Amino acid sequence: MGTLSLDDYEEVRISAPWGHISGRWYGNRTERPILAIHGWLDNLGTFDRLIPLLPGYLGVLCIDLPGHGRSSHLQPGMHYSVDDYVYIIPLVMRAYGWKTVSLLGHSMGAILMFVYAALAPHTVDMVISLDILVSACRQPDGNNLRLSAQNMEKHLREDQRLVEGSDGEPPAYTLETMCRAQVQGSFQSVRYEVAHHILHRQVTRSEVYPEKHYFSRDGRIKFINHAYLDDGLFAAMARRIERNPYLIIKASDSPFLGPSEAFSILSECNPNFEFHQVQGTHHVHLNEPEKCAQYIVPFLIRHRPPTLDSKEGSKAGSQGSQQPRFLPNSKL
């Protein structure tokens, strides 16, 4: 059995009411692919080093969330929200005419998948969650309230800047400086030598200083609205994911998957639940993807096994001649 090639992909542009969602469809383009969604402040480049380790008979559609990567930004006056990002999943499904979906997500992307799987479990045939299950429940104390107030003010200032326009480009930097900023911004979760995989989709070359670039993602996503959910609601959601195959991979050096009632319910009540821990940081799937692939690949083979069409589609995809079958409302 072969593996996917990072060079075998088609650029995808999915129409949305506010613009478009950008993506890359890797591998088999004759069958429904795995839908992969990145984490907060990242983009589909986060899966660059994991993709080549996945089974070659599959297709994987990686997308940039609105405001991230090369997807459209929301119009001025709109606010980015974790809750609203959940709707991206059924939007993509409707664009391609999928009745069911297979999900692979990291960090915030994995949270979206948990919420969607709870809302529509009959449409989800599997979930792979990288280093998170649900967001940490934020206590209504003074510090969190002050943080929310500060983010609201910063978002309003950024919004006003967009409305008024700018006299020139944003500040430009060398790619080396930007890679170091990527590492620092991730709290050293992303290694410097792989930071360019995320960086390349969120920067634009400066016209003023051609040897430099500037960040082109929407600055407002830094002030995203996090819902104040509690363990009781997460627990109720987990009970709705009764039999859906669900794989969680936790990074040992990451704090983002702590004890929760939702995790206990999935592990005890869902017969198709799997949990594994690997050594590494929150971005272990990017830094050392083989540690995650050792569990993801058997899970995929078990729950999305190859078919005759899969084998033929994989060959056609590698030749670059097969056109996608699911394209009613999308543009390539």
Side-chain angles (χ1 to χ4, degrees), residues 40-42 106-107 131 147 178-192 195 198 217 222 226 251 253-256 280-284 286-287:
W40 182 47
L41 300 180
D42 292 344
H106 171 244
S107 195
D131 201 45
L147 177 61
M178 298 178 99
C179 278
R180 296 192 185 283
Q182 184 77 49
V183 175
Q184 183 177 3
S186 70
F187 300 98
Q188 285 68 51
S189 174
V190 176
R191 292 180 179 174
Y192 175 80
I198 294 178
R217 67 189 182 196
K222 292 183 290 186
H226 294 270
D253 300 335
S254 168
F256 296 110
T281 67
H282 185 51
H283 285 80
V284 64
L286 175 62
N287 297 328

Side-chain angles (χ1 to χ4, degrees), residues 69-214:
R70 297 175 184 169
S71 288
S72 295
H73 301 179
L74 296 183
Q75 289 83 356
M78 302 299 292
H79 197 122
Y80 291 97
S81 165
V82 174
D83 292 343
D84 291 335
Y85 273 147
V86 173
Y87 289 88
I88 298 300
I89 297 173
L91 186 151
V92 172
M93 292 175 65
R94 290 187 181 186
Y96 288 99
W98 303 338
K99 299 301 182 183
T100 55
V101 65
S102 304
L103 298 168
L104 164 65
H106 171 244
S107 195
M108 183 178 71
I111 296 173
L112 308 182
M113 294 174 180
F114 170 80
V115 175
Y116 179 76
L119 295 176
H122 61 288
T123 69
V124 178
D125 62 18
M126 53 165 281
V127 179
I128 299 173
S129 178
L130 299 177
D131 201 45
I132 207 163
L133 176 61
V134 297
S135 56
C137 295
R138 303 175 68 182
Q139 299 302 315
D141 56 29
N143 288 334
N144 278 323
L145 293 176
R146 278 191 294 273
L147 177 61
S148 295
Q150 291 170 5
N151 282 344
M152 180 175 64
E153 290 298 324
K154 291 177 180 178
H155 180 276
L156 289 171
R157 286 199 294 270
E158 185 72 15
D159 220 30
Q160 188 63 34
R161 187 187 66 80
L162 292 174
V163 171
E164 294 175 350
S166 174
D167 294 333
E169 291 181 347
Y173 310 93
T174 65
L175 289 176
E176 180 182 359
T177 298
M178 298 178 99
C179 278
R180 296 192 185 283
Q182 184 77 49
V183 175
Q184 183 177 3
S186 70
F187 300 98
Q188 285 68 51
S189 174
V190 176
R191 292 180 179 174
Y192 175 80
E193 60 269 23
V194 300
H196 65 278
H197 288 287
I198 294 178
L199 199 65
H200 77 96
R201 290 186 69 86
Q202 60 187 21
V203 300
T204 298
R205 184 181 295 277
S206 170
E207 294 184 3
V208 180
Y209 307 102
E211 74 283 4
K212 296 183 178 181
H213 294 70
Y214 60 86

Side-chain angles (χ1 to χ4, degrees), residues 133 235 238-239 241-244 246 248 259-275:
L133 176 61
R239 292 188 184 97
I241 308 174
E242 297 178 306
R243 301 191 63 84
N244 306 70
Y246 211 113
I248 297 178
S260 71
E261 188 176 357
F263 180 88
S264 297
I265 290 170
L266 282 177
S267 61
E268 295 171 6
C269 302
N270 186 331
N272 297 308
F273 175 80
E274 289 186 34
F275 172 77

